[in-house]
Amino acid sequence: FFLSLKLEKKTKGKLQKQICQVVLDHFEKQYTAELGDAWSSVRDVLTSPWCWQHALLLNRFSPNPGLESSLAEQGYHPAFPAALPYLPAAFRCYSRTAPGRFPAQKHQPGRLKDYYLLNAASLLPVLALEVQDGEDVLDLCAAPGGKSVAVLQCAWPGHFQCNEYDELRSRWLEQTIESFIPDPLISLITVSKLDGRQIGDLQPEFYDKVLVDAPCSNDRSWLFSADPQQAVLRLMQRKELSSLQSQLLRSAVKALRPGGSLVYSTCTLSRAENSDVIDLILSSHSNVMPVDISGVARGVSQEFSFLSGMQQHELLVLPERGRAWGPMYVAKLKKVSSS
């Protein structure tokens, strides 16, 4: 016991040193103003990686008969209750309150993985999108591919375009799809490397559903920026992200058919990259309406902690001890007519 305590202290000390003070100071100022009292408990989790939790999304294309009973023995339970407005039978995700990560599976060409390790909150955008079989779907900023894989656990789209502009991340996306999706089905997926801001002009009114999991200031990873200079540069460029996010959203709206819907998500707490971006789109597009997703938040309120006072078309998952999921912002919009 004393040895494990010693190890824990050593680990804590090691991780504590890695926190980037310049980022923490920046967050402290911004999030105290934006989140009020909620920030101190969120900061406590974000700066304590040893209390982070990981969930497993099971791969329906590679059933492993013993896996679910093995997970149950280790204290895992289904993360999403049947009370959700949209929860396909094949969609199975397991989590537990204890921190720690289940062993990862290595990529082996020609062999499918049984599960995908992730932050359970990152599945909320996919569940909010409510993809049905046969729909044409676009994942606008798809790498590393977890949400694309999750979409395919829910339904089989008629056409599924997974787009990633960055060359390196695009290769990562291709490998993820290869690891989780069998060959006959891969042929129905298009992996493209287009600038997401141009897709709306290139493919106007082509999709029933669009997921915009936008590039954002990733609060979890930025706090542990090893290079202080890089961190300072990131914080300076942070102001420009909302402009990129707005452009991606405008493109997504153009790519949607009338009657189609889109989900926008980020893994930051920043209001400028979340509610402000959505408000801008709603105020500048008369053909776009907010969609109520409060049912999603209600359905998972046992598993996730949310910031109160949000609009009905948005939610923000706040990490807390024992429910260390997020940050994850999710908003849903619908296109009611051609522009």
Side-chain angles (χ1 to χ4, degrees):
F1 168 74
F2 287 114
L3 180 66
S4 68
L5 201 65
K6 231 180 194 170
L7 276 171
E8 194 185 321
K9 274 188 175 159
K10 200 174 170 188
T11 314
K12 280 190 180 184
K14 212 170 166 187
L15 288 164
Q16 202 63 43
K17 281 195 195 90
Q18 293 174 353
I19 289 172
C20 184
Q21 196 58 45
V22 65
V23 175
L24 184 57
D25 291 346
H26 177 90
F27 283 1
E28 194 74 50
K29 195 173 166 189
Q30 181 181 349
Y31 294 149
T32 301
E34 291 184 11
L35 302 175
D37 295 342
W39 166 240
S40 60
S41 59
V42 171
R43 179 190 57 211
D44 183 36
V45 172
L46 290 182
T47 55
S48 312
W50 56 89
C51 80
W52 293 0
Q53 293 151 267
H54 296 84
L56 291 88
L57 176 68
L58 304 196
N59 185 12
R60 68 165 162 158
F61 303 113
S62 176
N64 179 335
L67 181 58
E68 287 180 84
S69 53
S70 164
L71 287 170
E73 282 165 23
Q74 295 174 61
Y76 283 85
H77 60 271
F80 297 98
L84 276 174
Y86 170 87
L87 191 71
F91 185 91
R92 299 200 311 290
C93 175
Y94 283 82
S95 67
R96 62 176 182 180
T97 47
R101 184 196 283 265
F102 202 75
Q105 291 179 307
K106 284 194 169 64
H107 173 70
Q108 294 176 302
R111 176 152 184 206
L112 295 182
K113 292 185 180 183
D114 301 329
Y115 54 84
Y116 192 99
L117 294 173
L118 39 63
N119 183 320
S122 66
L123 295 171
L124 292 174
V126 174
L127 294 175
L129 195 60
E130 301 191 9
V131 175
Q132 308 294 337
D133 288 344
E135 288 183 324
D136 295 322
V137 182
L138 167 64
D139 188 348
L140 194 69
C141 317
K147 291 182 181 68
S148 297
V149 166
V151 164
L152 295 169
Q153 303 306 313
C154 292
W156 194 249
H159 172 77
F160 191 23
Q161 183 170 347
C162 302
N163 183 68
E164 180 53 55
Y165 186 46
D166 182 273
E167 181 67 39
L168 197 65
R169 286 172 63 81
S170 183
R171 286 208 294 277
W172 189 6
L173 168 66
E174 283 175 344
Q175 190 181 85
T176 301
I177 290 170
E178 190 186 312
S179 289
F180 285 91
I181 313 304
D183 274 344
L185 301 180
I186 283 186
S187 62
L188 300 174
I189 301 167
T190 306
V191 176
S192 57
K193 299 174 190 173
L194 301 166
D195 183 335
R197 293 169 293 188
Q198 294 167 1
I199 284 183
D201 290 324
L202 295 169
Q203 300 172 321
E205 304 200 337
F206 189 81
Y207 295 98
D208 300 298
K209 301 277 167 76
V210 179
L211 176 61
V212 185
D213 186 43
C216 67
S217 48
N218 184 324
D219 296 350
R220 277 191 191 231
S221 66
W222 281 27
L223 269 170
F224 294 89
S225 305
D227 178 353
Q229 272 139 338
Q230 186 201 28
V232 170
L233 189 65
R234 274 176 168 172
L235 291 172
M236 285 164 64
Q237 292 170 335
R238 193 178 198 201
K239 296 182 185 75
E240 295 158 28
L241 277 168
S242 55
S243 167
L244 168 64
Q245 290 154 349
S246 299
Q247 288 168 30
L248 289 168
L249 265 175
R250 284 194 185 96
S251 174
V253 170
K254 281 183 187 172
L256 268 182
R257 291 182 180 130
S261 53
L262 72 82
V263 167
Y264 172 77
S265 60
T266 74
C267 52
T268 180
L269 298 160
S270 174
R271 190 182 294 159
E273 297 175 53
N274 294 340
S275 301
D276 290 358
V277 171
I278 292 295
D279 289 346
L280 181 66
I281 294 299
L282 285 169
S283 63
S284 58
H285 290 70
S286 59
N287 63 332
V288 172
M289 304 288 290
V291 177
D292 185 351
I293 53 169
S294 56
V296 177
R298 271 196 307 278
V300 294
S301 58
Q302 292 297 306
E303 188 82 37
F304 299 94
S305 174
F306 295 99
L307 180 66
S308 59
M310 302 293 278
Q311 303 283 323
Q312 287 189 317
H313 62 272
E314 58 179 358
L315 54 87
L316 178 61
V317 179
L318 300 179
E320 63 173 41
R321 294 263 173 164
R323 298 195 290 183
W325 311 115
M328 179 59 55
Y329 175 80
V330 184
K332 186 170 185 178
L333 306 175
K334 183 173 185 167
K335 183 173 183 175
V336 289
S337 62
S338 294
S339 38

